[in-house]
């Protein structure tokens, strides 16, 4: 299958921020978006810009199957957005709580990058990017900051925080490793948005959070942005 638009894969795109990001990219007319589930309604977006794809980031066979499908249908990938994530596992023992959160937020991201990197390398797109959706809660410098509304006193969550801190380091290390190949990798924190993930609480609507992800995936100088952290909360670029 040949597409004239830049090809984007978004994990966890069946709801929340992933859903909103897929809508915004597809509606721009510049991107063909591979989404985790076909939940975008026909009147919301041009369906010719969407292809549903099944991918479970906790299952290596599912990831491999998804990469194979993309390879057979398109032969390449231009932009990868690692959006799938979880924040808690209610009622689980502490070891299992950490294990399941890291399985999605850390190991899943690494496995998806590993599986789809050959397709990014096969792309002739001039602005190839990997975008990892992280959180300000993963910034070690912010956890103890007294005037930060989401410091560890207000929001303890050491399991979730540590998973996003690990994701930030994965982003930083990959940015160095992929620099010579001109594949940028960027961490983006969309902020606390009103989604099922946050129990409907947050300062932002999902569409506003998605704009930050879209910006990280499509705007600015990719080479300069690689290895940095993008957010609207005033943290600035860098770590």
């Amino acid at each position: 299958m040949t597409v004239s638009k830049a090809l984007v894969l978004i994990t966890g795109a069946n709801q929340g921020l992933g859903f909103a990001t897929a809508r915004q990219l597809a509606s721009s007319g510049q991107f063909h978006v591979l989404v985790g589930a076909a939940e975008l309604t026909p009147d919301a977006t041009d369906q010719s810009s969407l292809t549903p794809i099944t991918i479970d980031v906790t299952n290596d066979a599912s990831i491999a199957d998804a990469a194979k499908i993309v390879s057979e249908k398109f032969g390449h990938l231009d932009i990868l957005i690692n959006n799938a994530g979880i924040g808690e596992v209610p009622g689980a023992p502490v070891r299992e709580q950490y294990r399941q959160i890291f399985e999605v937020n850390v190991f899943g991201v690494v496995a998806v990058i590993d599986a789809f990197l050959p397709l990014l390398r096969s792309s002739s797109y001039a602005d190839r990017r990997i975008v990892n959706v992280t959180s300000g809660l993963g910034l070690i410098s912010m956890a103890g900051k007294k005037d930060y509304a989401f410091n560890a006193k207000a929001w303890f969550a050491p399991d979730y925080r540590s998973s996003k801190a690990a994701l930030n380091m994965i982003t930083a290390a990959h940015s160095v490793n992929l620099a010579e190949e001109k594949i940028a990798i960027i961490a983006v924190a969309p902020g606390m948005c009103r989604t099922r993930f946050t129990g409907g609480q947050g300062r932002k609507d999902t569409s506003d959070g998605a704009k930050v992800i879209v910006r990280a995936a499509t705007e600015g100088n990719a080479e300069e942005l690689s290895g940095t952290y993008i957010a609207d909360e005033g943290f600035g670029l860098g770590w």
Side-chain angles (χ1 to χ4, degrees), residues 93-113:
V94 64
R95 186 183 295 273
E96 186 62 22
Q97 173 87 356
Y98 274 81
R99 180 181 289 115
Q100 289 192 38
I101 289 175
F102 269 70
E103 193 67 56
V104 177
N105 297 359
V106 182
F107 309 148
V109 172
V110 174
V112 169
I113 290 174

Side-chain angles (χ1 to χ4, degrees), residues 8 61-62 71 85 93 102 127 142 146 151 198:
V8 185
S62 175
S71 179
F102 269 70
D127 196 9
M142 303 304 290
K146 293 182 179 180
N151 62 26
T198 63

Side-chain angles (χ1 to χ4, degrees), residues 51-182:
T51 296
I53 185 168
T54 300
I55 180 168
D56 178 354
V57 303
T58 67
N59 186 303
D60 288 345
S62 175
I63 294 170
D65 287 345
K68 182 179 179 182
I69 289 170
V70 175
S71 179
E72 291 175 347
K73 285 190 174 182
F74 304 99
H76 71 283
L77 181 67
D78 301 318
I79 299 170
L80 170 62
I81 300 177
N82 288 303
N83 167 75
I86 60 173
E88 60 180 354
V89 186
V94 64
R95 186 183 295 273
E96 186 62 22
Q97 173 87 356
Y98 274 81
R99 180 181 289 115
Q100 289 192 38
I101 289 175
F102 269 70
E103 193 67 56
V104 177
N105 297 359
V106 182
F107 309 148
V109 172
V110 174
V112 169
I113 290 174
D114 185 66
F116 284 89
L117 194 51
L119 288 166
L120 284 159
R121 287 173 169 147
S122 295
S123 168
S124 59
Y125 189 57
D127 196 9
R128 296 171 295 169
R129 302 190 190 194
I130 299 169
V131 175
N132 294 331
V133 179
T134 187
S135 168
L137 299 184
L139 297 178
I140 295 173
S141 61
M142 303 304 290
K145 191 173 178 60
K146 293 182 179 180
D147 59 351
Y148 179 42
F150 299 104
N151 62 26
K153 180 72 172 178
W155 193 317
F156 184 46
D159 41 18
Y160 178 74
R161 286 180 182 275
S162 58
S163 75
K164 292 303 184 179
L167 180 59
N168 293 343
M169 178 53 72
I170 288 165
T171 303
H174 274 77
S175 72
V176 176
N177 194 48
L178 296 173
E180 292 184 1
E181 298 184 68
K182 307 297 183 183

